[in-house]
Amino acid sequence: MDPNMCFLDIAQSRYTTKKYNSTKKIDNNIIEQLKEIIRLSPSSINSQPWKFTFVENEKVKNQLSEFSHYNSSKVKDASHVVVFSVFKDAEAFENMRLSQLSEGTSAYYNRVLKPKGDDHIMNWLTSQVYLSLGFFLSATASLGIDSTPMEGIEQSGYDTVLQDEGYKTLFAVAIGYRDDEDINQPNSTPKFRLEQDLVIRSI
Ligand SMILES: Cc1cc2nc3c(=O)[nH]c(=O)nc-3n(C[C@H](O)[C@H](O)[C@H](O)COP(=O)(O)O)c2cc1C
């Protein structure tokens, strides 16, 4: 990363890549950095209710592309696809994760969250994984990697391909290098955001 690049520059220049250069692969040392960064994502009461599957294998990427609707070519052409999953239900979270967390965390979970019921718990677990998405998109951009967050996938199809007991797919992120012709680059498609006065309040 250019040492003079500040976070504002990253926010202004990162964008959702729509077309990848299928011949350019991300170096393994960058992939290893991204794995470590995503592992360090923050979460409420440090619950870490996630699994991040880094897919590089072309055969598996092709299988996932079949369940990727209009995102299919991004999944095929990107260097890697990272699938973000959450525990499939509250019981899986309790059985597989709770004992690995601190006593305070488990106590808080049992006292405050558990009584709110399974739907509330699943929403809460899912929110933590979405938070890690924001972290990941910023991290990729800071490393000069292009990315595409993708909710437009068939999650159950991804689950069938990945076969990860206890987890279910929420969304995926294609990562790699843009095709020069990608029309979504900010110089051809300027970034659209609402003005500050509509979304920021200072008191
Ligand atoms: C959770 C989430 C899901 C998204 N799903 C898709 C998707 O399936 N396919 C796609 O091309 N873009 C997808 N996007 C990209 C958004 O459309 C994009 O972030 C938004 O239009 C802002 O544009 P920018 O990222 O280029 O600044 C998704 C973004 C987020 C945050």
Side-chain angles (χ1 to χ4, degrees), residues 14-16 18 70-71 74 130 133 148-152 184 191 193:
R14 70 140 293 283
Y15 78 106
T16 293
K18 302 285 182 182
Y70 64 97
N71 290 307
K74 297 161 200 153
Y130 271 87
L133 169 64
T148 313
M150 298 176 295
E151 274 179 331
N184 210 35
K191 200 173 269 295
R193 292 294 190 273

Side-chain angles (χ1 to χ4, degrees), residues 65 68-76 148-153:
S65 77
S68 302
H69 309 301
Y70 64 97
N71 290 307
S72 173
S73 59
K74 297 161 200 153
V75 170
K76 264 198 239 163
T148 313
M150 298 176 295
E151 274 179 331
I153 59 170

Side-chain angles (χ1 to χ4, degrees), residues 7-133:
F7 201 91
L8 179 58
D9 295 324
I10 292 170
Q12 284 165 338
S13 59
R14 70 140 293 283
Y15 78 106
T16 293
T17 301
K18 302 285 182 182
K19 192 170 175 10
Y20 284 89
N21 178 339
S22 61
T23 63
K24 278 179 89 177
K25 299 291 168 200
I26 302 173
D27 275 359
N28 209 37
N29 80 321
I30 292 185
I31 292 296
E32 291 309 313
Q33 280 185 63
L34 285 172
K35 288 177 181 170
E36 188 56 10
I37 290 168
I38 196 71
R39 185 180 76 87
L40 291 167
S41 288
S43 55
S44 176
I45 61 165
N46 214 0
S47 50
Q48 305 169 66
W50 43 51
K51 183 74 75 72
F52 308 109
T53 305
F54 283 67
V55 182
E56 180 181 12
N57 182 291
E58 291 298 327
K59 192 172 151 219
V60 180
K61 270 199 303 130
N62 284 336
Q63 286 171 341
L64 294 177
S65 77
E66 305 276 311
F67 298 106
S68 302
H69 309 301
Y70 64 97
N71 290 307
S72 173
S73 59
K74 297 161 200 153
V75 170
K76 264 198 239 163
D77 294 341
S79 169
H80 292 64
V81 173
V82 184
V83 183
F84 287 61
S85 307
V86 66
F87 281 114
K88 73 177 171 57
D89 50 33
E91 196 184 352
F93 171 71
E94 289 161 16
N95 293 339
M96 292 165 73
R97 181 65 83 249
L98 218 48
S99 64
Q100 294 158 327
L101 305 178
S102 73
E103 244 173 61
T105 300
S106 318
Y108 179 88
Y109 176 83
N110 285 321
R111 184 170 49 85
V112 178
L113 293 163
K114 185 124 180 85
K116 296 188 179 189
D118 283 5
D119 285 352
H120 181 94
I121 291 170
M122 275 320 291
N123 283 336
W124 173 74
L125 295 174
T126 301
S127 306
Q128 310 313 317
V129 187
Y130 271 87
L131 174 61
S132 77
L133 169 64

Side-chain angles (χ1 to χ4, degrees), residues 143-161:
L143 292 166
I145 303 298
D146 292 317
S147 64
T148 313
M150 298 176 295
E151 274 179 331
I153 59 170
E154 197 182 318
Q155 287 93 345
S156 58
Y158 270 52
D159 290 341
T160 308
V161 173

